[in-house]
Amino acid sequence: MDGIVTEVAVGVKRGSDELLSGSVLSSPSSNMSSMVVTANGNDSKKFKGEDKMDGAPSRVLHIRKLPGEVTETEVIALGLPFGKVTNILMLKGKNQAFLELATEEAAITMVNYYSAVTPHLRNQPIYIQYSNHKELKTDNTLNQRAQAVLQAVTAVQTANTPLSGTAVSESAVTPAQSPVLRIIIDNMYYPVTLDVLHQIFTKFGAVLKIITFTKNNQFQALLQYGDPVNAQQAKLALDGQNIYNACCTLRIDFSKLVNLNVKYNNDKSRDYTRPDLPSGDGQPALDPAIAAAFAKETSLLAVPGALSPLAIPNAAAAAAAAAAGRVGMPGVSAGGNTVLLVSNLNEEMVTPQSLFTLFGVYGDVQRVKILYNKKDSALIQMADGNQSQLAMNHLNGQKMYGKIIRVTLSKHQTVQLPREGLDDQGLTKDFGNSPLHRFKKPGSKNFQNIFPPSATLHLSNIPPSVAEEDLRTLFANTGGTVKAFKFFQRDHKMALLQMATVEEAIQALIDLHNYNLGESHHLRVSFSKSTI
């Protein structure tokens, strides 16, 4: 499951104060405290830590094979999507833990889910099963850190429900003042969309509004819950975690704003309480059925049985991530095969440059080699395995120069350059230092605008002197028909242009991306998901 988000809490701070001083576990066969376990494991020989695999359901779960440095917060985060976590006992010396949920039903849901999807902590698989113990009793004075973390979670979880005579500890964290979180994505090597954020954060309560933007070259978002305690719970569980393997780290703070003013429902902003809002200029409108679903969704709580906090819980969200340019395929990680084999090319027309331009829409092409003895085939080396997977998914079966191309992963690990002094007729080209790479800059806006090939093209970097007629003529000269054109209302540097077919749009992109329009302006062309 490397390619799908299964990490739970990478990047949480470590410290020597995380070690538990001691705790007491009550045995299911006795009402008395049966033994003391210390954090360094010296006394844990007294404790029968290994539970039977086929044990009866219990609200206490036994977690094994934990990484040595894992924290209480990370273990608690495993259980949060399934219900209230009521206690935790860490056995550091044994790399094990016990997690108590409020109900047996929640525990059953959690075990059933993780039996199908192996959970990972810090890139290591861990194992979860029912414990023989039916209840955890821990000494709060000896187990202070774990209890402090639990208190913070409990304060959030109980704030929205009647207490029915149960007093919340005075040391429980006070709910934050603002229901709005400011989210910064560090190390954003792959795109994070508004829909992905919604799927992650909706686990902790109804998300009302989201606004995304780029500031100081970083992708950021403001996200508003219906209640400040939901914001606090989300911050507690998600701050410092990675959305995808080893990248896209969430940095979360409370915003000074207490309410967001959303004008448009589109890719960049959304008000889930107002599905009737317009989409804004040049942005795709929200489908009415989807809008209705969003409106309904805000009244629902997170569904038990969803994925771990940072995983994407359904096909719709996975599709959103895929559409944004990160198709997570099982077994393909950032370190996967970077080389593609492209076949059934039009050998009379294809060049390394044309392949660089087309495949460069989905990643930074490093090298291209058209095969000397089979000129209808080429090897293309991308910057990493995710980019090659993305290009393959989007371009396999598309038409290029009149022929349907086939794109597969190659068995080659790299594309070899010709030996010094050997003339290979320009069939191999090294693009490693190309200034035209779209994704060199972490957090680039280009990560937000990766879409499948479409008849509608997004044009940018248009100089003021170039008119609609100039661009219509330019694109008609690529051999296709321009069906529609529209400048962006607020920014005439950008426009949407629609060709008659996807094949014509592909041809136009190959011919005109980086075309010199004069005044030091080189046209930028990409596929759009909008229509005119």
Side-chain angles (χ1 to χ4, degrees):
M1 300 294 292
D2 291 337
I4 296 175
V5 190
T6 49
E7 290 183 287
V8 176
V10 177
V12 179
K13 290 176 186 169
R14 310 170 192 175
S16 58
D17 62 337
E18 290 167 6
L19 294 177
L20 304 183
S21 304
S23 27
V24 181
L25 183 74
S26 76
S27 162
S29 57
S30 163
N31 291 326
M32 297 172 62
S33 296
S34 56
M35 62 211 69
V36 175
V37 186
T38 56
N40 58 19
N42 293 342
D43 297 330
S44 60
K45 296 185 184 73
K46 304 175 194 171
F47 176 71
K48 191 179 174 187
E50 301 296 333
D51 279 311
K52 295 183 188 127
M53 286 299 288
D54 55 355
S58 163
R59 67 191 182 100
V60 179
L61 299 176
H62 181 199
I63 304 171
R64 299 177 296 122
K65 301 282 179 75
L66 289 169
E69 69 278 18
V70 80
T71 66
E72 290 86 351
T73 308
E74 291 169 273
V75 177
I76 290 169
L78 282 170
L80 280 179
F82 304 94
K84 183 176 175 181
V85 176
T86 48
N87 212 343
I88 182 172
L89 171 63
M90 300 282 282
L91 304 181
K92 296 267 183 177
K94 281 183 168 283
N95 298 97
Q96 296 177 22
F98 288 84
L99 196 68
E100 180 187 273
L101 278 77
T103 66
E104 198 172 279
E105 289 76 19
I108 290 169
T109 304
M110 181 171 165
V111 168
N112 287 347
Y113 175 74
Y114 285 130
S115 63
V117 178
T118 304
H120 287 66
L121 282 177
R122 299 180 184 256
N123 286 326
Q124 276 185 229
I126 59 169
Y127 301 91
I128 299 174
Q129 64 198 68
Y130 298 117
S131 170
N132 295 329
H133 303 281
K134 298 297 180 192
E135 184 182 9
L136 281 182
K137 284 187 179 173
T138 53
D139 185 328
N140 291 4
T141 57
L142 295 175
N143 190 13
Q144 285 176 346
R145 178 183 170 82
Q147 291 306 309
V149 174
L150 262 177
Q151 278 179 352
V153 175
T154 303
V156 172
Q157 288 177 327
T158 57
N160 280 336
T161 54
L163 294 180
S164 61
T166 312
V168 179
S169 162
E170 285 178 16
S171 62
V173 177
T174 310
Q177 295 303 304
S178 175
V180 179
L181 294 174
R182 182 173 67 102
I183 302 156
I184 296 175
I185 311 288
D186 275 348
N187 188 22
M188 197 172 102
Y189 200 62
Y190 298 106
V192 176
T193 65
L194 183 147
D195 293 309
V196 168
L197 288 175
H198 182 262
Q199 295 293 347
I200 292 168
F201 282 83
T202 203
K203 300 246 183 359
F204 302 93
V207 174
L208 304 188
K209 303 169 187 177
I210 305 177
I211 298 172
T212 64
F213 54 96
T214 300
K215 185 178 178 183
N216 301 331
N217 246 351
Q218 277 189 309
F219 177 77
Q220 301 191 22
L222 293 168
L223 181 144
Q224 182 178 342
Y225 280 105
D227 194 307
V229 293
N230 300 132
Q232 185 175 13
Q233 184 179 7
K235 182 180 185 302
L236 176 78
L238 299 177
D239 187 28
Q241 297 195 32
N242 289 351
I243 297 175
Y244 300 126
N245 286 346
C247 70
C248 301
T249 308
L250 290 165
R251 304 291 177 208
I252 304 171
D253 283 309
F254 293 106
S255 170
K256 291 173 185 168
L257 301 170
V258 291
N259 186 48
L260 298 179
N261 182 20
V262 176
K263 294 177 181 175
Y264 303 114
N265 281 339
N266 55 37
D267 290 352
K268 305 291 186 285
S269 63
R270 202 161 296 162
D271 184 338
Y272 295 92
T273 67
R274 294 197 54 201
D276 56 314
L277 285 177
S279 64
D281 188 53
Q283 290 283 353
L286 222 53
D287 180 273
I290 296 172
F294 280 141
K296 184 180 175 188
E297 194 173 358
T298 58
S299 65
L300 303 176
L301 292 172
V303 181
L307 297 183
S308 54
L310 295 201
I312 298 169
N314 59 31
R326 168 69 163 65
V327 181
M329 301 294 287
V332 178
S333 67
N337 198 339
T338 61
V339 181
L340 296 167
L341 173 63
V342 187
S343 55
N344 202 41
L345 292 164
N346 183 332
E347 57 186 274
E348 304 298 321
M349 303 285 291
V350 75
T351 62
Q353 184 66 45
S354 63
L355 290 169
F356 167 79
T357 303
L358 179 57
F359 281 74
V361 172
Y362 301 105
D364 291 338
V365 176
Q366 303 299 302
R367 293 176 181 177
V368 178
K369 180 190 285 287
I370 295 172
L371 303 186
Y372 186 80
N373 294 323
K374 199 176 186 325
K375 292 191 173 65
D376 70 344
S377 300
L379 295 172
I380 300 176
Q381 183 176 334
M382 308 296 285
D384 67 42
N386 284 297
Q387 292 182 5
S388 56
Q389 186 76 45
L390 184 60
M392 180 175 76
N393 281 344
H394 282 315
L395 294 175
N396 181 42
Q398 296 290 348
K399 262 191 174 181
M400 179 183 184
Y401 296 125
K403 298 190 74 173
I404 295 173
I405 63 171
R406 298 288 166 223
V407 186
T408 58
L409 293 172
S410 167
K411 64 179 187 292
H412 294 279
Q413 296 304 306
T414 58
V415 170
Q416 297 293 328
L417 294 175
R419 287 194 303 277
E420 198 74 39
L422 185 72
D423 177 21
D424 78 337
Q425 301 171 7
L427 296 176
T428 307
K429 192 152 183 198
D430 186 354
F431 294 98
N433 295 316
S434 171
L436 298 181
H437 284 156
R438 295 178 189 241
F439 308 103
K440 257 192 308 206
K441 202 183 288 181
S444 161
K445 283 184 181 177
N446 293 332
F447 282 112
Q448 306 306 311
N449 295 303
I450 304 174
F451 303 112
S454 60
T456 306
L457 297 168
H458 180 277
L459 317 182
S460 59
N461 206 30
I462 303 166
S465 60
V466 173
E468 175 179 337
E469 201 49 48
D470 301 324
L471 290 166
R472 280 179 172 270
T473 304
L474 185 65
F475 277 78
N477 285 342
T478 62
T481 305
V482 176
K483 301 285 282 186
F485 181 93
K486 181 183 178 185
F487 271 118
F488 278 53
Q489 197 174 339
R490 289 184 196 80
D491 188 355
H492 271 233
K493 291 182 193 158
M494 294 195 287
L496 295 176
L497 182 143
Q498 190 175 331
M499 303 298 289
T501 64
V502 174
E503 183 187 0
E504 286 183 10
I506 288 173
Q507 183 64 55
L509 183 142
I510 290 170
D511 290 351
L512 295 175
H513 178 62
N514 201 45
Y515 182 86
N516 189 350
L517 291 171
E519 303 173 45
S520 301
H521 283 67
H522 286 78
L523 183 65
R524 298 188 63 78
V525 185
S526 54
F527 297 115
S528 172
K529 71 174 190 178
S530 305
T531 51
I532 305 172

